[in-house]
Amino acid sequence: RLGRQLFATIPCAGKRRPVGFSQGDRATLSTWLARTASLYLRRNLRGFSPGWRKALRAQHGTGVLVQNQHPGKRVLYVDDERALVTLSVRGLSLYGYRVTGFCDPRAALESFKAEPQAYDAVVTDLSMPTLSGLSLVNELRALRSAVPVIALSGLVTDEDRARCERCGVDTVLAKPFTFDHLARALDALL
């Protein structure tokens, strides 16, 4: 039931749309669902017996979430993979961030153009079909030069890191990442 609720609809460009997954997406989804379940269990260990708590902590970590130093901060999250947008929006909201997710970088850019001061940070994928993450960062920096940016990529090379540095990306994270890592990176930038 939890899985159906997480994946039945996603926020995309301000609308909720049904999600359909291909066979290739399922491997990615199972990885992200496992990480999200891990986060949920660590946050909600009080309902388990001491024996179960010990076993869950051994499997999923200490049970201590990153303490958000900036609750309520607005984050613009952009990725062309709908499932990742959905999970990241929900995952970061557990840390107190108000996240607006977009599957289309052009729609994200239009939202940012309408209100450049509405977002405290931007998290974007580097490889997207309609507009690359670095092109998006350049457009965003032209509108607001000081906005903190985190870039995400499945394969981060030294060349990618150098290009990100030239574009003014503050942090580069490799996928898959945990929400703890992403929240720590956001806290460091804000």
Side-chain angles (χ1 to χ4, degrees), residues 1-12 15-21 29 33 82-83 86-87 90:
R1 185 167 183 214
L2 177 62
R4 196 174 309 135
Q5 288 175 338
L6 283 175
F7 304 119
T9 60
I10 64 161
C12 190
K15 299 177 184 172
R16 297 187 71 77
R17 298 187 179 152
V19 178
F21 299 110
L29 283 174
L33 183 56
R82 290 181 180 190
T86 301
L87 289 170
R90 291 176 187 249

Side-chain angles (χ1 to χ4, degrees), residues 130-170:
T130 59
L131 184 68
S132 77
L134 292 179
S135 298
L136 176 63
V137 170
N138 286 333
E139 295 282 339
L140 297 175
R141 293 279 188 195
L143 296 168
R144 187 170 144 216
S145 61
V147 64
V149 177
I150 296 175
L152 310 171
S153 181
L155 178 65
V156 181
T157 64
D158 291 336
E159 182 181 318
D160 289 334
R161 289 189 189 279
R163 286 195 340 240
C164 287
E165 192 174 312
R166 284 193 299 271
C167 285
V169 172
D170 298 293

Side-chain angles (χ1 to χ4, degrees), residues 5 15 18 22 45 63 69 71 73 80 82 85 92-93 116 118 120 124 129 132 148 153 162 165 173 178 180 186:
Q5 288 175 338
K15 299 177 184 172
S22 67
L45 287 177
Q69 302 300 315
K73 292 290 186 175
D80 59 318
R82 290 181 180 190
V85 172
L92 287 174
S93 68
D120 300 302
T124 182
S132 77
S153 181
E165 192 174 312
L173 290 179
T178 65
D180 283 341
L186 283 167

Side-chain angles (χ1 to χ4, degrees), residues 88-108:
S88 297
V89 166
R90 291 176 187 249
L92 287 174
S93 68
L94 292 174
Y95 289 88
Y97 292 104
R98 294 182 355 208
V99 185
T100 304
F102 287 92
C103 303
D104 179 9
R106 294 192 188 281

Side-chain angles (χ1 to χ4, degrees), residues 12-88:
C12 190
K15 299 177 184 172
R16 297 187 71 77
R17 298 187 179 152
V19 178
F21 299 110
S22 67
Q23 188 65 28
D25 291 335
R26 290 190 178 150
T28 303
L29 283 174
S30 63
T31 301
W32 280 91
L33 183 56
R35 292 179 189 277
T36 303
S38 173
L39 177 67
Y40 177 80
L41 288 173
R42 287 185 287 149
R43 189 167 190 163
N44 296 286
L45 287 177
R46 286 186 300 270
F48 293 93
S49 70
W52 273 102
R53 277 192 293 240
K54 183 177 178 183
L56 290 169
R57 282 191 179 114
Q59 184 175 357
H60 298 286
T62 63
V64 178
L65 290 174
V66 172
Q67 196 71 330
N68 182 355
Q69 302 300 315
H70 309 282
K73 292 290 186 175
R74 298 264 333 246
V75 176
L76 177 64
Y77 189 95
V78 188
D79 198 312
D80 59 318
E81 292 186 50
R82 290 181 180 190
L84 297 182
V85 172
T86 301
L87 289 170
S88 297

